[in-house]
Amino acid sequence: MLIKRRSFVFSFGGTLLLFIALNLISAHLRSDCGLLGVLHMSGCADDIRRVGFPLLVWEAGGFAYRQWFHGLALLMDLVIALGVSVAAGLVGRWWVQRT
C-alpha cells in the first residue's frame, strides 16, 4: 500500500512542479523583458508583463500603462493544473499496480 501511495504522490507532485515550471517559462517568453521584467528587476522602461499558463491571468505595463487581472482565468488554471496532476497521480498508481 505504501508503494502505491508513494507512486501517486511522486506522480502528482512531479506534474504539479511541471506546471509551476511551465508558468515561469510562459511568463518569461510572453513578457517583453522576460522573467526579470515580471519581477520588476529589469531595466526596461515600458515593458509589458504577462503571467499565466495555459490561460493569461495578469497583464500590466506598456507605454500607455494598462493593467488587468482575470480571476476566472486564474481559477481555471488552478483547476487544470490540479486535474492533470490528480490524473497523473492515478496513472502513476495504476502503473505501479500493473507491474
Side-chain angles (χ1 to χ4, degrees):
M1 185 69 174
L2 181 62
I3 293 174
K4 295 175 192 174
R5 183 177 301 153
R6 193 176 287 170
S7 64
F8 177 84
V9 170
F10 284 138
S11 300
F12 177 85
T15 306
L16 205 55
L17 285 175
L18 178 67
F19 267 94
I20 291 170
L22 288 173
N23 268 290
L24 291 173
I25 291 168
S26 173
H28 179 71
L29 295 176
R30 283 182 172 179
S31 299
D32 290 347
C33 292
L35 195 56
L36 291 177
V38 172
L39 299 173
H40 298 284
M41 297 174 64
S42 70
C44 295
D46 60 350
D47 63 326
I48 298 176
R49 298 175 303 275
R50 296 175 183 97
V51 176
F53 175 82
L55 304 173
L56 187 61
V57 174
W58 177 70
E59 182 176 70
F63 183 70
Y65 187 81
R66 66 184 183 284
Q67 178 174 331
W68 66 268
F69 174 78
H70 201 280
L72 185 59
L74 176 63
L75 182 64
M76 290 302 298
D77 277 353
L78 290 172
V79 166
I80 290 169
L82 289 175
V84 171
S85 296
V86 167
L90 292 173
V91 167
R93 189 178 73 177
W94 171 80
W95 187 266
V96 167
Q97 285 176 347
R98 186 174 157 260
T99 56

Coordinates of all heavy atoms in Angstrom, one line a residue:
M1 N 0.8 -1.2 0.0 CA 0.0 0.0 0.0 C 0.9 1.3 0.0 O 0.5 2.3 -0.6 CB -0.9 0.0 1.2 CG -1.9 1.1 1.3 SD -3.1 0.9 0.0 CE -4.2 2.2 0.3
L2 N 2.0 1.2 0.7 CA 2.9 2.4 0.8 C 3.5 2.7 -0.6 O 3.6 3.9 -0.9 CB 4.0 2.1 1.8 CG 4.9 3.3 2.0 CD1 4.2 4.5 2.6 CD2 6.0 2.9 3.0
I3 N 3.8 1.7 -1.4 CA 4.4 1.9 -2.7 C 3.3 2.6 -3.6 O 3.7 3.5 -4.4 CB 4.9 0.6 -3.3 CG1 6.1 0.1 -2.5 CG2 5.3 0.8 -4.7 CD1 6.6 -1.2 -2.9
K4 N 2.1 2.2 -3.5 CA 1.0 2.8 -4.3 C 0.8 4.2 -4.0 O 0.7 5.1 -4.8 CB -0.3 2.0 -4.1 CG -0.3 0.6 -4.6 CD -1.6 -0.1 -4.3 CE -1.5 -1.6 -4.5 NZ -2.7 -2.2 -4.0
R5 N 0.8 4.5 -2.7 CA 0.7 5.9 -2.2 C 1.9 6.8 -2.6 O 1.7 7.9 -3.1 CB 0.5 6.0 -0.7 CG 0.2 7.4 -0.2 CD 0.0 7.4 1.3 NE -1.2 6.6 1.6 CZ -1.4 6.0 2.8 NH1 -0.5 6.1 3.8 NH2 -2.4 5.2 3.0
R6 N 3.0 6.2 -2.5 CA 4.3 6.9 -2.9 C 4.3 7.2 -4.3 O 4.7 8.3 -4.8 CB 5.5 6.1 -2.4 CG 6.8 6.9 -2.5 CD 7.9 6.1 -2.0 NE 7.8 5.9 -0.6 CZ 8.6 5.1 0.1 NH1 9.5 4.3 -0.5 NH2 8.5 5.0 1.4
S7 N 3.9 6.3 -5.2 CA 3.8 6.5 -6.6 C 2.8 7.6 -7.0 O 3.1 8.4 -7.9 CB 3.5 5.2 -7.4 OG 2.2 4.7 -7.0
F8 N 1.7 7.6 -6.3 CA 0.7 8.7 -6.5 C 1.3 10.0 -6.2 O 1.2 11.0 -6.9 CB -0.6 8.4 -5.7 CG -1.6 9.5 -5.9 CD1 -2.5 9.5 -6.9 CD2 -1.7 10.6 -4.9 CE1 -3.4 10.6 -7.1 CE2 -2.6 11.6 -5.1 CZ -3.5 11.6 -6.2
V9 N 1.9 10.1 -5.0 CA 2.5 11.4 -4.5 C 3.6 11.9 -5.5 O 3.6 13.1 -5.8 CB 3.0 11.3 -3.1 CG1 3.8 12.5 -2.7 CG2 1.9 11.1 -2.1
F10 N 4.5 11.0 -5.9 CA 5.5 11.4 -6.8 C 5.0 11.8 -8.2 O 5.4 12.8 -8.8 CB 6.5 10.3 -7.0 CG 7.5 10.1 -5.9 CD1 7.8 8.8 -5.4 CD2 8.0 11.2 -5.2 CE1 8.7 8.7 -4.4 CE2 8.9 11.0 -4.2 CZ 9.2 9.8 -3.7
S11 N 4.0 11.1 -8.7 CA 3.4 11.5 -10.0 C 2.6 12.8 -9.9 O 2.8 13.7 -10.7 CB 2.5 10.4 -10.5 OG 3.1 9.2 -10.6
F12 N 1.9 13.0 -8.8 CA 1.1 14.2 -8.6 C 2.0 15.4 -8.4 O 1.9 16.4 -9.1 CB 0.2 14.0 -7.4 CG -0.6 15.3 -7.0 CD1 -1.8 15.5 -7.6 CD2 -0.1 16.1 -6.0 CE1 -2.5 16.7 -7.2 CE2 -0.8 17.3 -5.7 CZ -2.0 17.5 -6.3
G13 N 3.0 15.2 -7.5 CA 4.0 16.3 -7.2 C 4.8 16.7 -8.4 O 5.1 17.8 -8.7
G14 N 5.2 15.7 -9.2 CA 6.1 15.9 -10.4 C 5.3 16.7 -11.4 O 5.8 17.6 -12.0
T15 N 4.0 16.4 -11.6 CA 3.2 17.1 -12.6 C 2.9 18.5 -12.1 O 2.9 19.4 -12.9 CB 1.9 16.3 -12.8 OG1 2.2 15.0 -13.2 CG2 1.1 16.9 -13.9
L16 N 2.7 18.7 -10.8 CA 2.4 20.0 -10.3 C 3.7 20.9 -10.4 O 3.6 22.1 -10.8 CB 2.0 19.9 -8.8 CG 1.2 21.0 -8.2 CD1 0.0 21.3 -9.1 CD2 0.8 20.7 -6.8
L17 N 4.9 20.3 -10.2 CA 6.1 21.0 -10.4 C 6.3 21.4 -11.9 O 6.8 22.5 -12.2 CB 7.3 20.2 -9.9 CG 7.5 20.2 -8.4 CD1 8.6 19.3 -8.0 CD2 7.7 21.6 -7.8
L18 N 5.9 20.5 -12.8 CA 5.9 20.8 -14.2 C 5.1 22.0 -14.5 O 5.5 22.8 -15.3 CB 5.5 19.5 -15.0 CG 5.5 19.7 -16.5 CD1 6.9 19.9 -17.0 CD2 4.8 18.5 -17.1
F19 N 3.9 22.1 -14.0 CA 3.0 23.2 -14.2 C 3.6 24.5 -13.7 O 3.5 25.6 -14.3 CB 1.6 23.0 -13.6 CG 0.7 22.4 -14.6 CD1 0.5 21.1 -14.7 CD2 0.0 23.2 -15.5 CE1 -0.4 20.5 -15.6 CE2 -0.9 22.7 -16.4 CZ -1.1 21.3 -16.5
I20 N 4.3 24.5 -12.5 CA 4.9 25.6 -12.0 C 6.1 26.1 -12.9 O 6.2 27.3 -13.2 CB 5.5 25.4 -10.6 CG1 4.3 25.2 -9.6 CG2 6.4 26.5 -10.1 CD1 4.7 24.7 -8.2
A21 N 6.8 25.1 -13.4 CA 7.9 25.4 -14.3 C 7.4 26.0 -15.6 O 7.9 27.0 -16.2 CB 8.8 24.2 -14.6
L22 N 6.3 25.5 -16.1 CA 5.7 26.0 -17.4 C 5.1 27.4 -17.2 O 5.2 28.2 -18.1 CB 4.6 25.0 -17.8 CG 5.0 23.7 -18.4 CD1 3.8 22.8 -18.7 CD2 5.8 23.9 -19.7
N23 N 4.6 27.7 -16.0 CA 4.2 29.1 -15.7 C 5.3 30.0 -15.7 O 5.2 31.1 -16.2 CB 3.5 29.1 -14.3 CG 2.0 28.9 -14.5 OD1 1.3 29.8 -15.0 ND2 1.5 27.8 -14.0
L24 N 6.5 29.6 -15.1 CA 7.6 30.5 -15.2 C 8.2 30.7 -16.6 O 8.5 31.8 -17.0 CB 8.7 29.9 -14.2 CG 8.4 30.0 -12.8 CD1 9.5 29.2 -12.0 CD2 8.3 31.4 -12.3
I25 N 8.2 29.6 -17.3 CA 8.7 29.7 -18.7 C 7.7 30.6 -19.6 O 8.2 31.4 -20.3 CB 8.9 28.3 -19.3 CG1 10.0 27.6 -18.7 CG2 9.1 28.4 -20.8 CD1 10.1 26.1 -19.0
S26 N 6.4 30.4 -19.3 CA 5.5 31.2 -20.1 C 5.6 32.7 -19.7 O 5.5 33.5 -20.6 CB 4.1 30.7 -19.7 OG 3.1 31.5 -20.3
A27 N 5.8 33.0 -18.5 CA 5.9 34.4 -18.0 C 7.2 35.0 -18.7 O 7.2 36.1 -19.1 CB 6.0 34.5 -16.5
H28 N 8.2 34.2 -18.8 CA 9.5 34.7 -19.4 C 9.3 34.9 -20.9 O 9.8 35.9 -21.4 CB 10.6 33.7 -19.1 CG 11.9 34.1 -19.7 ND1 12.7 35.1 -19.3 CD2 12.6 33.6 -20.8 CE1 13.7 35.2 -20.0 NE2 13.7 34.3 -21.0
L29 N 8.7 34.0 -21.6 CA 8.5 34.1 -23.0 C 7.4 35.1 -23.4 O 7.6 35.8 -24.5 CB 8.2 32.8 -23.6 CG 9.3 31.7 -23.5 CD1 8.9 30.4 -24.1 CD2 10.6 32.2 -24.2
R30 N 6.4 35.3 -22.7 CA 5.3 36.2 -23.0 C 5.6 37.6 -22.7 O 5.1 38.6 -23.3 CB 4.0 35.8 -22.3 CG 3.3 34.6 -22.9 CD 2.0 34.4 -22.1 NE 1.2 33.4 -22.7 CZ 0.1 33.0 -22.2 NH1 -0.4 33.5 -21.1 NH2 -0.6 32.0 -22.8
S31 N 6.4 37.9 -21.7 CA 6.7 39.2 -21.2 C 7.8 39.9 -22.1 O 8.7 39.1 -22.6 CB 7.1 39.3 -19.8 OG 6.1 38.8 -19.0
D32 N 7.7 41.2 -22.3 CA 8.7 41.8 -23.1 C 10.1 41.7 -22.6 O 11.1 41.5 -23.4 CB 8.3 43.3 -23.3 CG 7.1 43.5 -24.1 OD1 6.6 42.6 -24.7 OD2 6.5 44.6 -24.1
C33 N 10.3 41.9 -21.3 CA 11.7 41.8 -20.8 C 12.0 40.5 -20.0 O 12.8 40.5 -19.1 CB 11.9 43.0 -19.9 SG 12.0 44.5 -20.8
G34 N 11.2 39.5 -20.2 CA 11.4 38.2 -19.6 C 11.0 38.1 -18.1 O 10.2 39.0 -17.6
L35 N 11.5 37.1 -17.5 CA 11.1 36.9 -16.1 C 11.6 38.0 -15.1 O 10.9 38.4 -14.2 CB 11.6 35.6 -15.6 CG 11.0 35.0 -14.3 CD1 9.5 34.9 -14.4 CD2 11.6 33.6 -14.0
L36 N 12.7 38.6 -15.5 CA 13.2 39.7 -14.6 C 12.3 40.9 -14.8 O 12.1 41.7 -13.8 CB 14.6 40.1 -15.1 CG 15.7 39.1 -14.7 CD1 17.1 39.6 -15.2 CD2 15.8 38.9 -13.2
G37 N 11.6 41.1 -15.9 CA 10.7 42.2 -16.1 C 9.4 41.9 -15.2 O 8.8 42.8 -14.7
V38 N 9.0 40.7 -15.1 CA 7.8 40.3 -14.3 C 8.1 40.6 -12.9 O 7.3 41.1 -12.1 CB 7.4 38.8 -14.5 CG1 6.4 38.4 -13.6 CG2 7.0 38.6 -16.0
L39 N 9.4 40.4 -12.4 CA 9.8 40.6 -11.1 C 10.2 42.0 -10.8 O 10.7 42.3 -9.7 CB 10.9 39.6 -10.7 CG 10.5 38.1 -10.8 CD1 11.7 37.2 -10.6 CD2 9.4 37.7 -9.8
H40 N 10.1 42.9 -11.7 CA 10.5 44.3 -11.6 C 12.0 44.5 -11.4 O 12.4 45.4 -10.6 CB 9.7 45.0 -10.5 CG 8.2 45.1 -10.8 ND1 7.6 45.9 -11.7 CD2 7.2 44.4 -10.2 CE1 6.3 45.7 -11.7 NE2 6.0 44.8 -10.8
M41 N 12.8 43.6 -11.9 CA 14.2 43.7 -11.7 C 15.0 44.0 -13.0 O 16.2 44.0 -13.0 CB 14.7 42.3 -11.2 CG 14.1 42.0 -9.8 SD 14.6 40.3 -9.3 CE 16.3 40.5 -9.1
S42 N 14.2 44.3 -14.1 CA 14.9 44.6 -15.4 C 15.0 46.1 -15.5 O 14.3 46.9 -14.8 CB 14.1 44.0 -16.5 OG 12.9 44.7 -16.7
G43 N 15.7 46.6 -16.5 CA 15.9 48.0 -16.7 C 15.0 48.5 -17.9 O 15.2 49.6 -18.4
C44 N 14.0 47.7 -18.2 CA 13.1 48.1 -19.3 C 12.2 49.2 -18.9 O 11.7 49.3 -17.8 CB 12.2 46.9 -19.8 SG 13.2 45.6 -20.5
A45 N 12.0 50.2 -19.8 CA 11.2 51.4 -19.5 C 9.7 51.1 -19.6 O 9.0 51.5 -18.7 CB 11.6 52.5 -20.4
D46 N 9.3 50.5 -20.6 CA 7.8 50.3 -20.8 C 7.5 48.9 -21.3 O 6.7 48.7 -22.2 CB 7.3 51.4 -21.8 CG 7.9 51.2 -23.2 OD1 8.9 50.4 -23.3 OD2 7.4 51.8 -24.2
D47 N 8.0 48.0 -20.5 CA 7.8 46.6 -20.9 C 6.3 46.2 -20.5 O 5.7 46.8 -19.6 CB 8.8 45.6 -20.2 CG 8.7 45.7 -18.7 OD1 8.4 46.8 -18.2 OD2 9.0 44.7 -18.1
I48 N 5.8 45.1 -21.1 CA 4.6 44.5 -20.8 C 4.8 43.2 -20.1 O 5.5 42.4 -20.6 CB 3.7 44.4 -22.0 CG1 3.4 45.7 -22.7 CG2 2.4 43.7 -21.7 CD1 2.6 45.7 -24.0
R49 N 4.2 43.0 -18.9 CA 4.4 41.8 -18.2 C 3.2 41.0 -18.2 O 2.1 41.5 -18.0 CB 4.8 42.2 -16.7 CG 6.0 43.0 -16.6 CD 6.3 43.4 -15.2 NE 5.3 44.3 -14.6 CZ 5.2 45.6 -14.8 NH1 6.0 46.2 -15.5 NH2 4.2 46.2 -14.2
R50 N 3.3 39.7 -18.6 CA 2.2 38.8 -18.8 C 2.5 37.5 -18.0 O 3.6 37.0 -18.0 CB 2.0 38.4 -20.2 CG 1.6 39.6 -21.1 CD 1.5 39.2 -22.5 NE 1.3 40.3 -23.4 CZ 2.2 41.0 -24.0 NH1 3.5 40.7 -24.0 NH2 1.8 42.1 -24.8
V51 N 1.5 37.1 -17.2 CA 1.6 35.9 -16.3 C 0.4 35.0 -16.6 O -0.7 35.5 -16.6 CB 1.7 36.3 -14.9 CG1 1.8 35.1 -14.0 CG2 2.9 37.2 -14.6
G52 N 0.7 33.7 -16.6 CA -0.4 32.7 -16.6 C -0.1 31.6 -17.7 O 0.3 31.9 -18.8
F53 N -0.4 30.4 -17.3 CA -0.3 29.3 -18.2 C -1.3 28.2 -17.8 O -1.4 27.9 -16.6 CB 1.1 28.6 -18.3 CG 1.2 27.4 -19.1 CD1 1.3 27.5 -20.5 CD2 1.0 26.1 -18.6 CE1 1.4 26.4 -21.3 CE2 1.1 25.0 -19.4 CZ 1.2 25.1 -20.7
P54 N -2.1 27.7 -18.7 CA -2.3 27.9 -20.1 C -3.1 29.2 -20.4 O -3.0 29.6 -21.6 CB -3.0 26.7 -20.6 CG -3.7 26.2 -19.4 CD -2.9 26.6 -18.2
L55 N -3.8 29.7 -19.5 CA -4.6 31.0 -19.8 C -3.8 32.2 -19.2 O -3.2 32.1 -18.2 CB -6.0 30.8 -19.1 CG -6.8 29.6 -19.5 CD1 -8.1 29.6 -18.7 CD2 -7.1 29.7 -21.0
L56 N -4.0 33.3 -19.9 CA -3.4 34.6 -19.4 C -4.2 35.1 -18.3 O -5.4 35.3 -18.4 CB -3.3 35.6 -20.6 CG -2.5 36.8 -20.3 CD1 -1.1 36.5 -20.0 CD2 -2.7 37.8 -21.5
V57 N -3.5 35.3 -17.1 CA -4.2 35.7 -15.9 C -4.0 37.2 -15.6 O -4.9 37.9 -15.2 CB -3.6 34.8 -14.7 CG1 -4.2 35.3 -13.4 CG2 -4.0 33.4 -14.9
W58 N -2.8 37.7 -15.8 CA -2.4 39.1 -15.4 C -1.6 39.7 -16.5 O -0.7 39.1 -17.1 CB -1.7 39.0 -14.1 CG -1.2 40.4 -13.6 CD1 -2.0 41.4 -13.2 CD2 0.1 40.8 -13.6 NE1 -1.2 42.5 -12.8 CE2 0.1 42.1 -13.0 CE3 1.4 40.2 -13.9 CZ2 1.3 42.8 -12.8 CZ3 2.5 41.0 -13.7 CH2 2.5 42.3 -13.1
E59 N -1.9 41.0 -16.8 CA -1.1 41.7 -17.8 C -1.0 43.1 -17.3 O -2.0 43.7 -16.8 CB -1.7 41.7 -19.2 CG -0.9 42.4 -20.2 CD -1.6 42.3 -21.6 OE1 -2.6 42.9 -21.8 OE2 -1.0 41.6 -22.4
A60 N 0.2 43.7 -17.3 CA 0.4 45.1 -16.9 C 1.6 45.7 -17.6 O 2.5 45.0 -18.1 CB 0.8 45.1 -15.4
G61 N 1.6 47.0 -17.8 CA 2.7 47.7 -18.4 C 2.3 48.3 -19.7 O 1.1 48.5 -20.1
G62 N 3.3 48.7 -20.5 CA 3.2 49.3 -21.8 C 3.4 50.8 -21.7 O 3.4 51.4 -20.6
F63 N 3.5 51.4 -22.9 CA 3.8 52.9 -22.9 C 2.5 53.6 -22.4 O 2.7 54.5 -21.6 CB 4.0 53.3 -24.4 CG 4.3 54.8 -24.5 CD1 5.5 55.3 -24.1 CD2 3.4 55.6 -25.1 CE1 5.8 56.6 -24.2 CE2 3.7 56.9 -25.3 CZ 4.8 57.5 -24.8
A64 N 1.4 53.3 -22.9 CA 0.1 53.8 -22.3 C -0.3 52.7 -21.2 O -0.9 51.7 -21.6 CB -1.0 53.9 -23.3
Y65 N 0.1 52.9 -20.0 CA 0.0 51.9 -19.0 C -1.4 51.3 -18.8 O -2.3 52.1 -18.8 CB 0.5 52.4 -17.6 CG 0.6 51.4 -16.6 CD1 1.7 50.6 -16.5 CD2 -0.4 51.2 -15.6 CE1 1.8 49.5 -15.5 CE2 -0.3 50.2 -14.7 CZ 0.8 49.4 -14.6 OH 0.9 48.4 -13.7
R66 N -1.4 50.0 -18.8 CA -2.7 49.3 -18.5 C -2.4 48.1 -17.6 O -1.3 47.6 -17.6 CB -3.4 48.9 -19.8 CG -2.6 47.8 -20.5 CD -3.2 47.5 -21.9 NE -2.5 46.4 -22.5 CZ -1.4 46.5 -23.2 NH1 -0.8 47.7 -23.2 NH2 -0.8 45.5 -23.8
Q67 N -3.4 47.7 -16.9 CA -3.3 46.6 -16.0 C -4.6 45.9 -15.9 O -5.6 46.5 -15.7 CB -2.8 47.0 -14.6 CG -2.6 45.8 -13.7 CD -2.0 46.3 -12.3 OE1 -1.3 47.2 -12.3 NE2 -2.4 45.6 -11.3
W68 N -4.6 44.6 -16.0 CA -5.8 43.8 -15.8 C -5.5 42.4 -15.2 O -4.4 41.9 -15.4 CB -6.7 43.7 -17.0 CG -6.1 42.9 -18.2 CD1 -5.4 43.4 -19.2 CD2 -6.2 41.5 -18.4 NE1 -5.0 42.3 -20.0 CE2 -5.5 41.2 -19.5 CE3 -6.8 40.4 -17.7 CZ2 -5.4 39.9 -20.0 CZ3 -6.7 39.2 -18.2 CH2 -6.0 38.9 -19.3
F69 N -6.4 42.0 -14.4 CA -6.3 40.7 -13.7 C -7.6 39.9 -14.0 O -8.7 40.5 -13.8 CB -6.1 40.9 -12.2 CG -6.1 39.6 -11.4 CD1 -5.0 38.7 -11.4 CD2 -7.2 39.2 -10.7 CE1 -5.0 37.5 -10.8 CE2 -7.2 38.0 -10.0 CZ -6.1 37.2 -10.0
H70 N -7.5 38.7 -14.4 CA -8.7 37.9 -14.7 C -8.8 36.7 -13.7 O -8.0 35.7 -13.8 CB -8.6 37.4 -16.2 CG -9.9 37.0 -16.7 ND1 -10.5 35.8 -16.5 CD2 -10.7 37.6 -17.6 CE1 -11.6 35.7 -17.1 NE2 -11.8 36.9 -17.8
G71 N -9.6 36.9 -12.7 CA -9.8 35.9 -11.7 C -10.3 34.5 -12.2 O -9.8 33.5 -11.7
L72 N -11.2 34.6 -13.1 CA -11.7 33.3 -13.6 C -10.6 32.5 -14.4 O -10.6 31.3 -14.3 CB -12.9 33.5 -14.6 CG -13.6 32.3 -15.1 CD1 -14.2 31.5 -13.9 CD2 -14.7 32.7 -16.0
A73 N -9.7 33.2 -15.1 CA -8.6 32.5 -15.7 C -7.7 31.9 -14.7 O -7.2 30.8 -14.9 CB -7.9 33.5 -16.6
L74 N -7.5 32.6 -13.6 CA -6.6 32.0 -12.5 C -7.3 30.8 -11.9 O -6.6 29.7 -11.7 CB -6.4 33.0 -11.4 CG -5.7 32.5 -10.2 CD1 -4.2 32.1 -10.5 CD2 -5.6 33.6 -9.1
L75 N -8.6 30.8 -11.7 CA -9.3 29.7 -11.2 C -9.2 28.5 -12.2 O -9.0 27.3 -11.8 CB -10.8 30.0 -10.9 CG -11.6 28.9 -10.3 CD1 -11.1 28.5 -8.9 CD2 -13.1 29.4 -10.2
M76 N -9.4 28.8 -13.5 CA -9.3 27.7 -14.5 C -7.9 27.1 -14.6 O -7.8 25.9 -14.7 CB -9.8 28.3 -15.8 CG -11.3 28.5 -15.9 SD -12.3 27.1 -15.5 CE -11.8 26.0 -16.8
D77 N -6.9 28.0 -14.5 CA -5.5 27.5 -14.5 C -5.3 26.5 -13.3 O -4.7 25.5 -13.4 CB -4.5 28.6 -14.4 CG -4.2 29.3 -15.7 OD1 -4.7 28.7 -16.8 OD2 -3.5 30.3 -15.7
L78 N -5.8 26.9 -12.1 CA -5.6 26.0 -10.9 C -6.4 24.7 -11.1 O -5.9 23.6 -10.8 CB -6.1 26.8 -9.7 CG -5.3 27.9 -9.2 CD1 -6.0 28.7 -8.1 CD2 -3.9 27.4 -8.8
V79 N -7.6 24.8 -11.7 CA -8.4 23.6 -11.9 C -7.7 22.7 -12.9 O -7.6 21.4 -12.7 CB -9.8 23.9 -12.3 CG1 -10.6 22.7 -12.9 CG2 -10.6 24.5 -11.2
I80 N -7.2 23.2 -14.0 CA -6.5 22.4 -15.0 C -5.2 21.8 -14.4 O -5.0 20.6 -14.6 CB -6.1 23.3 -16.2 CG1 -7.4 23.7 -17.0 CG2 -5.1 22.6 -17.1 CD1 -7.2 24.8 -18.0
A81 N -4.4 22.6 -13.6 CA -3.2 22.0 -13.1 C -3.5 20.9 -12.1 O -2.9 19.9 -12.1 CB -2.4 23.1 -12.4
L82 N -4.5 21.1 -11.2 CA -4.8 20.1 -10.2 C -5.4 18.9 -10.8 O -5.2 17.8 -10.4 CB -5.7 20.7 -9.1 CG -5.0 21.7 -8.2 CD1 -6.0 22.3 -7.2 CD2 -3.9 21.0 -7.4
G83 N -6.3 19.1 -11.8 CA -6.9 18.0 -12.5 C -5.9 17.1 -13.2 O -6.0 15.9 -13.1
V84 N -5.0 17.7 -14.0 CA -4.0 17.0 -14.7 C -3.0 16.3 -13.7 O -2.6 15.1 -13.9 CB -3.2 17.9 -15.7 CG1 -2.0 17.2 -16.2 CG2 -4.1 18.4 -16.8
S85 N -2.7 16.9 -12.6 CA -1.9 16.3 -11.6 C -2.5 15.1 -10.9 O -1.9 14.1 -10.7 CB -1.5 17.4 -10.5 OG -0.7 18.4 -11.1
V86 N -3.8 15.2 -10.6 CA -4.5 14.1 -10.0 C -4.6 12.9 -11.0 O -4.4 11.8 -10.6 CB -5.9 14.5 -9.5 CG1 -6.8 13.3 -9.2 CG2 -5.8 15.4 -8.3
A87 N -4.8 13.3 -12.3 CA -4.9 12.2 -13.3 C -3.5 11.6 -13.4 O -3.4 10.3 -13.5 CB -5.3 12.8 -14.6
A88 N -2.4 12.3 -13.4 CA -1.1 11.8 -13.5 C -0.8 10.9 -12.2 O -0.2 9.8 -12.4 CB 0.0 12.9 -13.6
G89 N -1.3 11.3 -11.1 CA -1.1 10.5 -9.9 C -1.8 9.2 -10.0 O -1.3 8.2 -9.6
L90 N -3.0 9.2 -10.5 CA -3.8 8.0 -10.6 C -3.2 7.1 -11.7 O -3.1 5.8 -11.5 CB -5.2 8.3 -11.0 CG -6.1 9.0 -9.9 CD1 -7.4 9.4 -10.5 CD2 -6.2 8.1 -8.7
V91 N -2.7 7.6 -12.8 CA -2.0 6.8 -13.8 C -0.7 6.2 -13.2 O -0.4 5.1 -13.4 CB -1.7 7.7 -15.0 CG1 -0.7 6.9 -15.9 CG2 -3.0 8.0 -15.8
G92 N 0.1 7.0 -12.4 CA 1.3 6.5 -11.7 C 1.0 5.4 -10.8 O 1.7 4.4 -10.7
R93 N -0.1 5.5 -10.0 CA -0.5 4.5 -9.1 C -0.9 3.2 -9.9 O -0.6 2.1 -9.5 CB -1.6 4.9 -8.2 CG -1.9 4.0 -7.1 CD -3.0 4.5 -6.2 NE -4.3 4.4 -6.9 CZ -5.4 4.7 -6.4 NH1 -5.5 5.2 -5.2 NH2 -6.5 4.6 -7.1
W94 N -1.7 3.4 -10.9 CA -2.1 2.3 -11.8 C -1.0 1.6 -12.4 O -0.9 0.3 -12.4 CB -3.1 2.8 -12.8 CG -3.4 1.7 -13.9 CD1 -4.3 0.7 -13.7 CD2 -2.8 1.6 -15.2 NE1 -4.3 0.0 -14.9 CE2 -3.4 0.5 -15.8 CE3 -1.9 2.3 -15.9 CZ2 -3.1 0.1 -17.1 CZ3 -1.5 1.9 -17.1 CH2 -2.1 0.8 -17.7
W95 N 0.0 2.3 -12.8 CA 1.2 1.8 -13.4 C 2.0 0.9 -12.5 O 2.5 -0.2 -12.8 CB 2.1 2.9 -14.0 CG 3.3 2.4 -14.8 CD1 4.5 2.1 -14.3 CD2 3.3 2.0 -16.2 NE1 5.3 1.7 -15.3 CE2 4.5 1.6 -16.5 CE3 2.3 2.1 -17.1 CZ2 4.9 1.2 -17.8 CZ3 2.6 1.7 -18.4 CH2 3.9 1.2 -18.7
V96 N 2.1 1.3 -11.2 CA 2.8 0.5 -10.2 C 2.0 -0.8 -9.9 O 2.6 -1.8 -9.7 CB 3.0 1.3 -8.9 CG1 3.5 0.5 -7.8 CG2 4.1 2.4 -9.2
Q97 N 0.7 -0.6 -9.8 CA -0.2 -1.8 -9.6 C 0.0 -2.8 -10.7 O -0.1 -4.0 -10.5 CB -1.6 -1.4 -9.4 CG -2.0 -0.8 -8.1 CD -3.4 -0.3 -8.1 OE1 -4.1 -0.3 -9.1 NE2 -3.9 0.0 -6.9
R98 N 0.1 -2.3 -11.9 CA 0.1 -3.2 -13.1 C 1.4 -4.0 -13.2 O 1.5 -5.1 -13.6 CB 0.0 -2.3 -14.3 CG -0.1 -3.0 -15.6 CD -0.4 -2.0 -16.8 NE 0.0 -2.6 -18.0 CZ 1.1 -2.3 -18.6 NH1 1.9 -1.5 -18.1 NH2 1.4 -2.9 -19.8
T99 N 2.5 -3.4 -12.7 CA 3.8 -4.1 -12.8 C 4.2 -4.9 -11.6 O 3.6 -4.9 -10.6 CB 5.0 -3.0 -13.1 OG1 5.0 -2.1 -12.1 CG2 4.8 -2.4 -14.4

